[in-house]
Amino acid sequence: MRALSVLTVALVLAATTAGCSTDGYDGTELTSSATGEDYRAPVWVGDTLYYLQEPVDSDSSPYPMRIRPGGRPEPVGFTGKPCRSGRTQWPFDLLPLGEHTVGVLSSCADERPTLTRIDEGGPQEDAAREPGAGFTVEPCGMRPVDAPEAGCVGGPGVRHPVTAPGGDTYYFAPRCGDDAAKAGTYSVCRLDGSGGATTAGTGVGRTMGLDARANRVVVAGTVNGEEAGLWLLDGGRFTRLATGDFADAGISADGSRVVSVLTRKSGWWSETTYSLRVVAIPDR
């Protein structure tokens, strides 16, 4: 049975790294699973956390979940539309769309993505597309969901694109415009509204996750050959927030904390445990 360990958001907000080293620090656990179920695409909408839960069965679709303040994980009742193949659309990303609304991006293998809004009233299918509604990643680069007829941007090798509320898009790539990353590494690129790409940071090895919100940029993975963890990117410099094999990242609206997925292996049979962890982001 899936083991759950849920803390109140008030307790999470109180967790900080002030006055201590981040070596070995891996944040505060919200929920965990040792059954093989994984988590993806965590995002904050207010103080409610939404995420995709990956079932053990690879033939089953991920399903959106949420944890309300002081509550336990619960499904949000999302059901994707049927595909022409007879299968159901698979959710592949979550987006914060406002103070009380999250967007679910889902698609079939051969069809354009659908954006569905979810709020306290439940899912609203076929939500109107809007600027900044995310990207699909393709071999040519990334293509905006709200304008699928547009050409690719960012070039080959783009990973983890995310659009900040201000309209800038951040992503990993081997090249930001004319600025190439060091061989074997990725740069964090910033694409502004005019379409110009600049380098926000360099030296990323494993590109496991990225988010930008409230003027904060957080990277999950390895940087400059150091141990894996969560990193705050500020002014071109990386500062470690936590240590561990983290993947995906979701910054709260006020920029005070980030949620990420921590993978651990332990025991004689190398049991893998996945957990959602909340890590405090220090004030500037």
Side-chain angles (χ1 to χ4, degrees):
M1 176 179 292
R2 181 161 54 92
L4 297 177
S5 175
V6 182
L7 300 177
T8 66
V9 171
L11 178 60
V12 170
L13 287 170
T16 70
T17 58
C20 63
S21 169
T22 58
D23 292 340
Y25 172 75
D26 55 15
T28 302
E29 181 177 288
L30 285 177
T31 184
S32 65
S33 169
T35 66
E37 291 186 317
D38 196 358
Y39 311 114
R40 279 199 301 116
V43 298
W44 294 102
V45 176
D47 282 333
T48 297
L49 175 65
Y50 288 82
Y51 59 96
L52 293 178
Q53 187 144 336
E54 293 272 11
V56 179
D57 182 1
S58 60
D59 290 330
S60 298
S61 170
Y63 46 96
M65 301 281 291
R66 69 181 166 204
I67 303 177
R68 299 179 183 181
R72 301 178 66 84
E74 61 181 7
V76 299
F78 170 83
T79 301
K81 289 188 173 183
C83 304
R84 287 194 292 263
S85 64
R87 304 184 71 170
T88 301
Q89 288 183 342
W90 285 35
F92 65 88
D93 202 3
L94 298 179
L95 306 167
L97 295 181
E99 186 178 354
H100 304 290
T101 309
V102 66
V104 182
L105 281 173
S106 58
S107 69
C108 304
D110 57 347
E111 299 177 23
R112 60 187 294 182
T114 296
L115 177 63
T116 302
R117 294 174 180 269
I118 296 178
D119 56 22
E120 292 302 319
Q124 303 173 30
E125 295 185 2
D126 250 354
R129 285 165 170 70
E130 58 189 68
F135 290 86
T136 56
V137 176
E138 302 178 16
C140 60
M142 55 187 182
R143 195 184 303 273
V145 170
D146 56 293
E149 67 283 352
C152 284
V153 294
V158 166
R159 298 183 179 183
H160 294 281
V162 58
T163 301
D168 292 344
T169 296
Y170 291 81
Y171 56 95
F172 298 119
R175 177 181 296 275
C176 303
D178 296 329
D179 187 10
K182 182 180 178 180
T185 69
Y186 285 78
S187 295
V188 178
C189 305
R190 173 179 167 269
L191 184 71
D192 60 26
S194 65
T198 56
T199 300
T202 60
V204 181
R206 294 175 58 204
T207 55
M208 302 303 294
L210 173 66
D211 196 23
R213 204 172 182 194
N215 296 318
R216 319 309 297 271
V217 179
V218 172
V219 167
T222 58
V223 174
N224 296 324
E226 295 192 32
E227 189 176 357
L230 282 175
W231 306 82
L232 176 66
L233 173 59
D234 189 10
R237 300 183 61 182
F238 288 94
T239 301
R240 185 191 294 276
L241 298 176
T243 301
D245 289 325
F246 287 94
D248 288 352
I251 301 173
S252 61
D254 63 0
S256 67
R257 60 207 192 278
V258 58
V259 61
S260 189
V261 183
L262 178 65
T263 302
R264 280 178 168 165
K265 291 186 177 181
S266 62
W268 182 260
W269 298 104
S270 295
E271 180 183 72
T272 300
T273 300
Y274 301 95
S275 62
L276 282 170
R277 318 286 294 197
V278 174
V279 175
I281 301 176
D283 294 333
R284 285 185 175 86

